[in-house]
Amino acid sequence: MNVIARNICSAALRVARQEPSVKSFCKTLPNFQPARFKSNAVTFPAGLIFRQLFDYQSYTYTYLLGDDETTEAVLIDPVIELVKRDARVIEDLGLKLIFALNTHVHADHVTGTGELKKLYPMCRSVIAEVSKAKADVHVVEGDAITFGRFTLKVVSTPGHTEGCQTYILHQNGKSVIAFTGDALLIRGCGRTDFQQGDSAQLYDSVHDKILSLPPQTFLYPAHDYAGQTVTTVEEELRCNPRLTKSKEEFIEIMKNLNLPYPKAIDRALPANMVCGVFDTPTS
Amino acid sequence: MNVIARNICSAALRVARQEPSVKSFCKTLPNFQPARFKSNAVTFPAGLIFRQLFDYQSYTYTYLLGDDETTEAVLIDPVIELVKRDARVIEDLGLKLIFALNTHVHADHVTGTGELKKLYPMCRSVIAEVSKAKADVHVVEGDAITFGRFTLKVVSTPGHTEGCQTYILHQNGKSVIAFTGDALLIRGCGRTDFQQGDSAQLYDSVHDKILSLPPQTFLYPAHDYAGQTVTTVEEELRCNPRLTKSKEEFIEIMKNLNLPYPKAIDRALPANMVCGVFDTPTS
């Protein structure tokens, strides 16, 4: 297990949230007021194949989305070591991969996009133009990635890195699922102390572009360190220990996280600038 | 990370599946025929709150299901070390826990049901009568666990242990989600070499009770060791490397897995016979 990654998260959460002990936590339960959270499980579009996949090493979520009619599919944030697993799922579900997207230039793992292009010659890699990373398709705010009957809208959400993007799936003109990368994590957010990180910018990005979506929009992040798999706009507006704070308080929290230097960054950054095929075996 | 658990799985998968190398695997892709998998994401019942949670230590999935109107909720297979995390999610979603279910007497982790009952006095623990484990409610095939407008039907699926049960959520009389415990895993199944395990019985249980459900039924297992989160009846009927074999071949595969003695079994079994509160701190 990536103990460092877990420690980073635990420490960060403790700082931001000042979690009560189990004992004091128990005491809060009898007074608990139901938040009347409304489920929106039914809003997943008909005909969408959706799979969430996880990397136990870097705690990264990879997402597979496909159209069950045309079989066209996209992968968001694949991990190089798990390309074979991802390809097996794609094959099992009868899909053909046409896009491999990164939400940003990752610092904690090497992207699988380059290796996937070797397996699927029709697959094109996608990343933000502003990232300056190599890819087949460079996108900016407002662009759309289409697979079959579905479209992911590109929304620029800088702050963790300057090239961070959120990919939003719409149905009937309404957002139903947003893939938030490291901009917004479940009850957290990406760090802002390297790679052009900017806390004020991250705060604005998340509030203006993600937490302003309809409350029942599902949010799927690039990572989780507590075994959680999904959240919603409504939940994060109410429960995110950092982003429910004022901008000034948020900046102060982010300034004092005191996180260690990311273990994989020196290997990951140069590789991810070239689709993950830098200094890796060619198969 | 629980390296032993991962190794068990990897070894087992290699034996059963005879996975090709990356190179030979690549060669298969150009000839690949789409399986025309039909998505069924829309069949999640309206008003159902559903969360999948993961334990990085024992690779266990815990499931939270709630009714967004009545706020009644159930947890399936909670893990003792993560009771506080689970309670936080329950609280954040405005739910009240009325049942904590185990699919079976686990050998790889201690159940969180006993600790959850301390946090939620109205919560009742549930397990199979045949397991002989302590619980508030002992259930048998055909019983139903109701929370708000939803009902989980109890189906007996022995073979991994004699008390293994699958909990099936229905909508309009049709199964939509089955929580299969260790009876059926994604592209695998639970081992059968301890705790009254019986390969022939497991084969029959899975085929008669799980793989006979409508093809688009979602299957959520108690574990995964490859970062996968969900499967369907259709997929497992087509892709499960063990259960697509004849019963005789399946028994032979299970006989030759040569898995190591489960690391946590000596602590987990006695604790799980008494709701997980054996020799654990009282707060």
Side-chain angles (χ1 to χ4, degrees), chain B residues 130-190:
Chain B
V130 71
S131 73
K132 299 187 183 70
K134 189 179 156 188
D136 298 315
V137 182
H138 290 98
V139 286
V140 297
E141 168 103 12
D143 283 348
I145 307 290
T146 298
F147 57 103
R149 295 161 293 170
F150 302 105
T151 295
L152 287 167
K153 202 176 134 192
V154 177
V155 172
S156 175
T157 48
H160 168 62
T161 75
E162 65 181 347
C164 282
Q165 293 179 150
T166 292
Y167 298 113
I168 305 180
L169 189 86
H170 285 78
Q171 186 182 30
N172 303 326
K174 194 180 153 195
S175 66
V176 287
I177 312 175
F179 299 93
T180 60
D182 285 14
L184 182 72
L185 305 179
I186 301 172
R187 312 291 189 265
C189 64

Side-chain angles (χ1 to χ4, degrees), chain A residues 1 6 20 26 36 39 48 51-52 54 56-57 68-69 84-85 92 119 226-227 229 235 238, chain B residues 1 6 20 26 36 39 48 51-52 54 56-57 68-69 84-85 92 119 187 226-227 229 235 238:
Chain A
M1 177 184 306
R6 289 189 87 178
C26 299
R36 306 296 291 167
S39 166
L48 177 75
R51 291 302 156 92
Q52 183 173 25
F54 188 63
Y56 305 117
Q57 298 303 313
D68 73 358
E69 281 288 327
K84 195 175 156 190
R85 185 244 354 233
D92 283 353
L119 291 179
T229 53
E235 266 175 80
R238 204 163 35 79
Chain B
M1 175 186 305
R6 288 190 87 176
C26 298
R36 307 295 294 169
S39 167
L48 177 75
R51 291 302 157 90
Q52 183 173 24
F54 188 62
Y56 305 118
Q57 298 303 314
D68 73 356
E69 281 288 328
K84 194 175 158 190
R85 186 245 354 235
D92 284 354
L119 291 179
R187 312 291 189 265
T229 53
E235 267 175 80
R238 206 165 32 80

Side-chain angles (χ1 to χ4, degrees), chain B residues 18-39:
Chain B
Q18 300 184 315
E19 284 201 309
S21 68
V22 175
K23 206 169 173 183
S24 68
F25 176 66
C26 298
K27 282 185 191 161
T28 68
L29 289 173
N31 303 318
F32 145 75
Q33 291 297 319
R36 307 295 294 169
F37 173 81
K38 298 300 286 182
S39 167

